[in-house]
Every structure is written in structure tokens, then in C-alpha cells.
């Protein structure tokens, strides 16, 4: 009896659902009916699959070709949201490169006699050859150190082959610099302390203070570091990662929010071998300002530090069978049983 | 301290403390210098004429009248100039006022000159 009652109910349901398959029935009702018969998961997969049709694949390829054909994507005087950093950025989709250029105006200053009363006069004066060498060595050191450390991958469906390998170029430009580099001569093997001041919003360039010894390794509380490499990190938009002085309010690093957004964790403030702390290790997290610049110049959010597997290419459109309804244990026919 | 002029540079962070130093010039022209937390040592003796020039320069500046400097967010390297009971604080990360720049040049000149004069 129970079986007959269930059979009748099913026939009634079938009668009710039949008009839902007509074209006049609202789409929502059809989806609901399909959910009831085939299950939520099947419908969700089917809806998702509608975005990855052969047509959308061809459309994506056409748009990518157009994106590449448009050539270079660039922005002058990019200021990261960290509140520091100032550089030009160019994305070359064909070459797969993101070129970051920092224009530097070098100013060589003689050392202060009151700072170094024991120094010989020649120890506090630049000779032109030494100044030219310092300039060359600085640009080479920091450009090489910061280049080829980050590769960003496009995650837009079927654009996954687009990459951006970050190249950093510190170049000389007295005419239109991003930073003035004031380089003070000090005696060999001594230290003075260096700093980078970001340009204020109304200024077109920042200021830095270096000394002639900033290209050689210095002992820090938790490592060894060439100060020029650390200061270059500030010029590229990063903040300090070593802890604030005791008694001073602890602040998060200037790039903390960008790192948190990208990696899901903040920037630890501690003394270790990281470049913005006491060492020279450049970690993926140090690429966040370049990632931000890439998204701005390409006007595209779908970039990631990790490569995404390419989306499968959909086949030509064709009419397929409707998803098979869920098995009903009370149905008259035998249920399908999978055997191990 | 009976000083005509006192100067101190101190980094807030240990990472930049390698350049910390202090010096002062006494009323009778002795120039004492110390690096880091080390002891002062007599580094120069300025001539009476140099002391006079320095005294005039300090009086002209009026440290208390200089525009206050704004400390940076981080990487603070503080420079303190003290004379006649007045102290002016400037930060190594920013431009120093022209009057301070001139005063520094004068002291540098006195140090360099006193080396030559013996």
C-alpha cells in the first residue's frame, strides 16, 4: 500500500514538473525543478560550467590577443599605498617583464670634520673617480639584488600563460629624479647611519642619506647587511621589519596591509635575516608593492604570486543529456550499485 | 656641563646606532668628542678667535626660534643642538634649517683649521 501511495505521489510530482520544462516557464523554476530532481551539486556544477563554454574561451583568447597587441602598460612616478616608494613601472606582456625604474640624482658630500675629528682630510673628501665608482657600484648592486626575485602569474581563465618577471633598474637621472641620493664621505670601515624619506604627496621626489661605506657589509644586531640594499627596499616602497625601540608604540610595518591581503598573514616585526630587518634575504612578501603596481598598470586584478594551472579548453558546444537524477531508493526499478 | 655648544646625534633604532656621536665646545675652546657611548676625549683646542666666532654664531641663531622639525615615522636619527640653555632638535631624515647648516659648517671649519694650526 505504501508503495502504491508513493508511486501516486511521484506521478503527481511528475505531472506538476512537466510544464516546468517548457520554454515559457521562468528559468528560476526550471533550475529549482532540476535541483529537486538532479541535486544541488549537479546544478551548481552545470551553472558554473556555463561560464566556461567554448564561446567564452574564444572570447578570452581574443581579449588576451588584444591586451598583448596594445603593447606596453606603464605608469610614471608610481607611489605604492604603503606611503613610501617612488618609481616608474612598465609591464611588457610580450616579454613577460615588469620593469621598475628608480631614477636617482647622486649628490656627493664631503664628510663632516666635527663628526670625524681624527680623520685625515682626504678621508672626508670624494675624488671624482671614487664618486663615479660608488655610483656605478650602487646602481649595479641594488638593481641585481632586487631583480628576478618575483614572478607574477595571471590567473584570468585562459590567460594563465601571461607572466611578469620583475626587473629592477636603479638609474642615474639628475634632471627628473625619484630620489636625491646625498652620499657623504666617511672614513673607511666606519658607519654613519642611512635613511630614506619618502616624497610628500605634494613633492615629486624623495630624499635619501647614504654614506660612502653603505655598499660594504655592516654588522647588525641579528645579521650582516649592506645598508644600500636595505635602503633600496625603502625606495621601492617597503617599511622596516625590525622591532620598534622598547618603550615606543609598536607599529605594523608599512607594507603589512598589502602582505596581509596577498598572503593572509601580516609582517612579523623581529630581528632576523630578512632584507628589511637585519639581513639581505628577499622573500616573496617583499614583492607586494610591485604586485600592486602591476595591477594598477594593467587595470587587472587577476594576478598572483602563484601560478594557476591552465583552465581546460572546452569542447565545441553540443546538446548533451540532462544530468541523471539522483537515485531514489524507493523507486520501482533496482538502484544502481557500485561494486568495489 | 659648561659648554658653549653641545651636539648629539643618536639613532632611535639599534640598527642605525653605528653613527651615534656627541661633541661639545667649552667656553675656553676645548673640543671634546665621543663616539657611541664612549668617553669624551679632547680632540681639538680652538683659538680665542674661533671661540669668539662660534659664540657670535650661536647668539645670532637663537635655537629656540627655529621652526620645529617633524620626526619621521621610522628610522629616526635625532640631532640635538644645545647652547645657552636652549635645545633644537632636527632629524637626519629631513632638511636641516640653513642656520643649523651654517653652524655645522663653522664648527667643521674650526675643527679643520685647528688641525692645521696645530
Amino acid at each position: 500500500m505504501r508503495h502504491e501511495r508513493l508511486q501516486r505521489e511521484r506521478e503527481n510530482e511528475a505531472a506538476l514538473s512537466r510544464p516546468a520544462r517548457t520554454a515559457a516557464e521562468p528559468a528560476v523554476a526550471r533550475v529549482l525543478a532540476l535541483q529537486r530532481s538532479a541535486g544541488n551539486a549537479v546544478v551548481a556544477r552545470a551553472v558554473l560550467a556555463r561560464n566556461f563554454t567554448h564561446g567564452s574561451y574564444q572570447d578570452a583568447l581574443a581579449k588576451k590577443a588584444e591586451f598583448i597587441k596594445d603593447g606596453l602598460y606603464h605608469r610614471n612616478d608610481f607611489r605604492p599605498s604603503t606611503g613610501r616608494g617612488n618609481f616608474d613601472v612598465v609591464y611588457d606582456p610580450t616579454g613577460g617583464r615588469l620593469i621598475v625604474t628608480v631614477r636617482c640624482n647622486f649628490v656627493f658630500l664631503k664628510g663632516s670634520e666635527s663628526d670625524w675629528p681624527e680623520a685625515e682630510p682626504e678621508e672626508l673628501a670624494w675624488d671624482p673617480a671614487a664618486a663615479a665608482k660608488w655610483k656605478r657600484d650602487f646602481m649595479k648592486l641594488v638593481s641585481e639584488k632586487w631583480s628576478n626575485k618575483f614572478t607574477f602569474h595571471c590567473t584570468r581563465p585562459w590567460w594563465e600563460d601571461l607572466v611578469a618577471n620583475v626587473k629592477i633598474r636603479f638609474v642615474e637621472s639628475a634632471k627628473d629624479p625619484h630620489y636625491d641620493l646625498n652620499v657623504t664621505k666617511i672614513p673607511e670601515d666606519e658607519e654613519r647611519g642611512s635613511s630614506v624619506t619618502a616624497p610628500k604627496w605634494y613633492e615629486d621626489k624623495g630624499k635619501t642619506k647614504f654614506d660612502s661605506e653603505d655598499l660594504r657589509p655592516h654588522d647588525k644586531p641579528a645579521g650582516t647587511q649592506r645598508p644600500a640594499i636595505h635602503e633600496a627596499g625603502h625606495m621601492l616602497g617597503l617599511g622596516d621589519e625590525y622591532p620598534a625601540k622598547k618603550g615606543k608604540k609598536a607599529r605594523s610595518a608599512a607594507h603589512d596591509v598589502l602582505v596581509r591581503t596577498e598572503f593572509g598573514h601580516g609582517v612579523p616585526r623581529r630581528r632576523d635575516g630578512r632584507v628589511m630587518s637585519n639581513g639581505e634575504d628577499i622573500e616573496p612578501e617583499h614583492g607586494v608593492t610591485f604586485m600592486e603596481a602591476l595591477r594598477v598598470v594593467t587595470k587587472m586584478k587577476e594576478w598572483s604570486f602563484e601560478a594557476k594551472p591552465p583552465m581546460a579548453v572546452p569542447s565545441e558546444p553540443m546538446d548533451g543529456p540532462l544530468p541523471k537524477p539522483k537515485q531514489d531508493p524507493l523507486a520501482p526499478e533496482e538502484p544502481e550499485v557500485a561494486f568495489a | 656641563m659648561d659648554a658653549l655648544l653641545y651636539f648629539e646625534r643618536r639613532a632611535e633604532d639599534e640598527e642605525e646606532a653605528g653613527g651615534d656621536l656627541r661633541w661639545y665646545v667649552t667656553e675656553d675652546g676645548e673640543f671634546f668628542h665621543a663616539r657611541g657611548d664612549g668617553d669624551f676625549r679632547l680632540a681639538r683646542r680652538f683659538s680665542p678667535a674661533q671661540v669668539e666666532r662660534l659664540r657670535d654664531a650661536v647668539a645670532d641663531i637663537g635655537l629656540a626660534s627655529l621652526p620645529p622639525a617633524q620626526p619621521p615615522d621610522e628610522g629616526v636619527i635625532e640631532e640635538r643642538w644645545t647652547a645657552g640653555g636652549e635645545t633644537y632638535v632636527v632629524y637626519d631624515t629631513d632638511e636641516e634649517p640653513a642656520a643649523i647648516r651654517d653652524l655645522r659648517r663653522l664648527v667643521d671649519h674650526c675643527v679643520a683649521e685647528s688641525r692645521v694650526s696645530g
Side-chain angles (χ1 to χ4, degrees):
Chain A
M1 286 297 289
R2 186 167 176 271
H3 179 79
E4 285 172 8
R5 184 166 51 83
L6 289 169
Q7 181 71 27
R8 275 199 306 276
E9 282 175 9
R10 245 197 315 276
E11 283 168 359
N12 289 341
E13 277 178 12
L16 284 171
S17 63
R18 223 169 280 129
R21 293 202 179 100
T22 65
E25 186 70 15
V28 173
R30 293 177 64 191
V31 170
L32 288 174
L34 194 58
Q35 278 180 321
R36 277 197 298 274
S37 60
N40 285 336
V42 169
V43 173
R45 280 199 296 274
V47 169
L48 197 62
R50 285 165 63 95
N51 296 325
F52 299 103
T53 62
H54 193 74
S56 57
Y57 164 69
Q58 287 179 321
D59 186 47
L61 288 194
K63 282 182 175 157
K64 187 176 76 172
E66 197 179 331
F67 177 83
I68 292 171
K69 195 169 110 260
D70 281 349
L72 303 177
Y73 294 80
H74 59 88
R75 169 75 69 94
N76 286 344
D77 307 329
F78 179 76
R79 308 267 180 98
S81 62
T82 55
R84 54 199 66 212
N86 190 18
F87 49 80
D88 293 343
V89 58
V90 177
Y91 176 55
D92 166 19
T94 309
R97 297 175 304 173
L98 182 76
I99 300 164
V100 171
T101 304
V102 184
R103 285 179 264 115
C104 306
N105 175 38
F106 294 91
V107 181
F108 290 94
L109 306 169
K110 83 172 186 60
S112 162
E113 285 87 352
S114 55
D115 282 2
W116 311 99
E118 68 282 7
E120 295 299 324
E122 59 271 19
E123 290 184 286
L124 300 178
W126 285 102
D127 74 71
K133 182 176 185 316
W134 196 96
K135 201 169 19 180
R136 275 197 313 273
D137 290 350
F138 171 83
M139 291 188 287
K140 185 170 188 290
L141 174 69
V142 297
S143 299
E144 282 182 357
K145 183 70 186 177
W146 281 92
S147 284
N148 301 315
K149 293 293 187 294
F150 314 101
T151 301
F152 304 135
H153 303 267
C154 189
T155 57
R156 182 174 281 186
W158 300 299
W159 290 40
E160 295 93 345
D161 56 327
L162 280 188
V163 294
N165 179 22
V166 182
K167 309 274 184 190
I168 309 292
R169 292 176 181 169
F170 281 78
V171 299
E172 184 173 15
S173 170
K175 197 175 163 193
D176 184 23
H178 291 116
Y179 284 95
D180 282 336
L181 275 74
N182 297 303
V183 192
T184 303
K185 183 75 174 69
I186 66 171
E188 209 169 309
D189 295 330
E190 295 289 356
E191 297 179 26
R192 188 188 176 281
S194 308
S195 62
V196 173
T197 307
K200 312 275 190 303
W201 63 269
Y202 52 84
E203 292 173 332
D204 57 356
K205 63 180 177 180
K207 302 178 200 91
T208 73
K209 288 193 177 177
F210 285 92
D211 65 58
S212 49
E213 294 295 294
D214 276 343
L215 304 180
R216 69 158 178 83
H218 286 41
D219 288 334
K220 299 286 179 182
T224 305
Q225 182 181 67
R226 284 166 288 185
I229 293 170
H230 173 90
E231 301 303 336
H234 288 312
M235 297 165 79
L236 294 168
L238 302 172
D240 283 325
E241 294 176 348
Y242 51 73
K245 186 187 175 185
K246 271 183 187 169
K248 202 177 177 192
K249 193 182 167 194
R251 301 165 60 119
S252 51
H255 50 294
D256 186 82
V257 171
L258 285 181
V259 170
R260 208 171 279 279
T261 308
E262 207 64 50
F263 293 90
H265 61 77
V267 177
R269 294 211 62 160
R270 60 170 182 245
R271 292 197 162 91
D272 56 20
R274 290 169 301 154
V275 68
M276 299 315 292
S277 183
N278 283 187
E280 295 187 1
D281 297 343
I282 297 178
E283 308 287 350
E285 286 85 345
H286 296 126
V288 288
T289 57
F290 312 131
M291 174 62 93
E292 185 181 41
L294 176 63
R295 289 193 174 125
V296 168
V297 294
T298 58
K299 296 188 176 72
M300 181 162 59
K301 286 189 291 185
E302 295 111 316
W303 289 100
S304 170
F305 281 78
E306 301 289 333
K308 193 180 102 176
M311 178 68 64
V313 177
S315 55
E316 291 288 343
M318 53 181 274
D319 287 335
L322 282 172
K324 187 171 183 176
K326 277 198 283 194
Q327 292 184 20
D328 181 353
L330 301 178
E333 68 270 19
E334 288 293 311
E336 288 177 19
V337 179
F339 292 98
Chain B
M1 187 180 294
D2 181 25
L4 172 62
L5 179 63
Y6 178 86
F7 172 83
E8 178 173 15
R9 177 189 298 134
R10 194 169 287 280
E12 186 180 272
D13 300 315
E14 206 181 327
E15 278 72 9
E16 299 293 340
D20 286 1
L21 62 90
R22 295 160 291 150
W23 55 252
Y24 65 92
V25 184
T26 64
E27 289 285 352
D28 56 1
E30 288 177 323
F31 177 82
F32 286 90
H33 191 275
R35 197 160 295 287
D37 292 323
D39 294 333
F40 280 107
R41 64 175 191 81
L42 180 63
R44 292 286 192 280
R45 282 183 201 282
F46 294 166
S47 69
Q50 286 175 322
V51 173
E52 201 54 40
R53 269 160 47 207
L54 206 50
R55 187 176 286 117
D56 289 348
V58 167
D60 287 349
I61 284 178
L63 291 172
S65 66
L66 294 173
Q70 199 65 31
D73 290 340
E74 58 186 20
V76 177
I77 300 176
E78 187 181 88
E79 294 187 346
R80 301 175 76 86
W81 295 82
T82 303
E86 295 172 347
T87 297
Y88 180 71
V89 180
V90 67
Y91 301 95
D92 192 56
T93 42
D94 214 341
E95 291 292 330
E96 57 190 16
I100 291 291
R101 196 162 54 240
D102 292 345
L103 184 58
R104 188 193 302 276
R105 277 188 190 141
L106 178 58
V107 179
D108 281 346
H109 183 72
C110 291
V111 172
E113 212 177 41
S114 54
R115 167 196 292 280
V116 174
S117 62

